[in-house]
Amino acid sequence: ILNVEQSPQSLHVQEGDSTNFTCSFPSSNFYALHWYRWETAKSPEALFVMTLNGDEKKKGRISATLNTKEGYSYLYIKGSQPEDSATYLCAFANSGNTPLVFGKGTRLSVIA
Amino acid sequence: KAGVTQTPRYLIKTRGQQVTLSCSPISGHRSVSWYQQTPGQGLQFLFEYFSETQRNKGNFPGRFSGRQFSNSRSEMNVSTLELGDSALYLCASSFIGVAGSSEAFFGQGTRLTVV
């Protein structure tokens, strides 16, 4: 059974702070790593899909890095804003034919 | 373009009953996956359908079943409902399948409460 761990489970930061979370996954048989943002009362929304070791992706103030050899990905948010408050999910695939395995998420609260 | 649509949004059922949930994917997407989320748990994979065929199945009892129609719409059925089936059920669609490099587009979910 594949295990995807996310830490921390929850996080409270002040507006303007920068923050980061971790997603750990099996380092063998890597295929893809996804990050999703899930705001309350909305649908999870894709942030990044990463497939190559060393990949770095950026969307506005949010960026992500990937290390497939050691089995982790970091998500960074620079200058957090209240609208960044959400649960951030990562999901791992070890092949193109198997389903995504999700972590339990990191719940971020940004206090104005 | 229209997003993924799930119906109904909320549902209350009694133990022992059965329920059918519906998911209409984004136009052109052939893959539909279903997930269950319960408090304290991550999204648990139920099954994936691609071009009307079940391509993957998660570790859920046989009471959970699904199907996909020729227009890619998918239904999920749970028979003999148990209290533990109370959860948010999400479906996700993608062009080639959520496992790969293709991002998944999620619906807003169906909140099922079993009493």
Side-chain angles (χ1 to χ4, degrees):
Chain A
I1 297 176
L2 297 174
N3 202 27
V4 177
E5 300 282 345
Q6 290 189 247
S7 62
Q9 188 175 2
S10 65
L11 197 53
H12 296 259
V13 301
Q14 293 289 328
E15 182 177 357
D17 287 351
S18 294
T19 188
N20 64 85
F21 339 124
T22 305
C23 173
S24 300
F25 51 85
S27 56
S28 58
N29 297 325
F30 175 86
Y31 190 83
L33 192 284
H34 296 215
W35 281 100
Y36 292 86
R37 174 170 59 200
W38 193 359
E39 296 178 68
T40 303
K42 293 188 177 179
S43 314
E45 181 183 283
L47 287 171
F48 307 113
V49 177
M50 308 173 82
T51 56
L52 296 174
N53 184 42
D55 233 356
E56 290 189 28
K57 299 229 174 180
K58 188 175 180 183
K59 186 183 285 190
R61 295 178 291 98
I62 303 178
S63 60
T65 61
L66 178 66
N67 184 324
T68 63
K69 295 189 186 312
E70 295 182 42
Y72 64 84
S73 175
Y74 293 139
L75 188 79
Y76 300 91
I77 301 179
K78 185 178 176 183
S80 302
Q81 300 296 309
E83 58 265 31
D84 296 328
S85 297
T87 296
Y88 291 82
L89 299 170
C90 71
F92 166 78
N94 64 354
S95 82
N97 297 321
T98 53
L100 287 171
V101 177
F102 281 82
K104 293 183 181 180
T106 292
R107 177 172 283 188
L108 173 68
S109 298
V110 182
I111 304 159
Chain B
K1 57 185 175 184
V4 178
T5 304
Q6 288 188 248
T7 57
R9 292 289 311 281
Y10 302 93
L11 206 48
I12 300 175
K13 289 286 189 178
T14 304
R15 269 183 303 175
Q17 286 187 311
Q18 73 163 18
V19 68
T20 299
L21 312 181
S22 178
C23 173
S24 294
I26 289 173
S27 177
H29 284 190
R30 294 187 292 166
S31 167
V32 174
S33 293
W34 288 89
Y35 295 86
Q36 180 197 65
Q37 194 202 32
T38 50
Q41 297 297 315
L43 295 179
Q44 303 292 311
F45 173 75
L46 282 153
F47 25 67
E48 180 199 6
Y49 286 88
F50 185 87
S51 294
E52 301 180 67
T53 301
Q54 187 180 84
R55 189 157 70 172
N56 283 293
K57 189 177 190 307
N59 191 25
F60 277 81
R63 300 184 297 106
F64 291 81
S65 63
R67 59 178 176 168
Q68 188 179 33
F69 302 95
S70 58
N71 62 357
S72 291
R73 188 177 72 85
S74 178
E75 287 183 347
M76 189 191 102
N77 185 275
V78 189
S79 62
T80 320
L81 283 165
E82 300 176 0
L83 294 178
D85 298 332
S86 295
L88 179 69
Y89 291 88
L90 285 169
C91 85
S93 79
S94 71
F95 183 64
I96 58 172
V98 297
S101 56
S102 175
E103 68 183 79
F105 294 83
F106 284 86
Q108 287 194 279
T110 293
R111 172 77 61 187
L112 171 65
T113 302
V114 182
V115 297

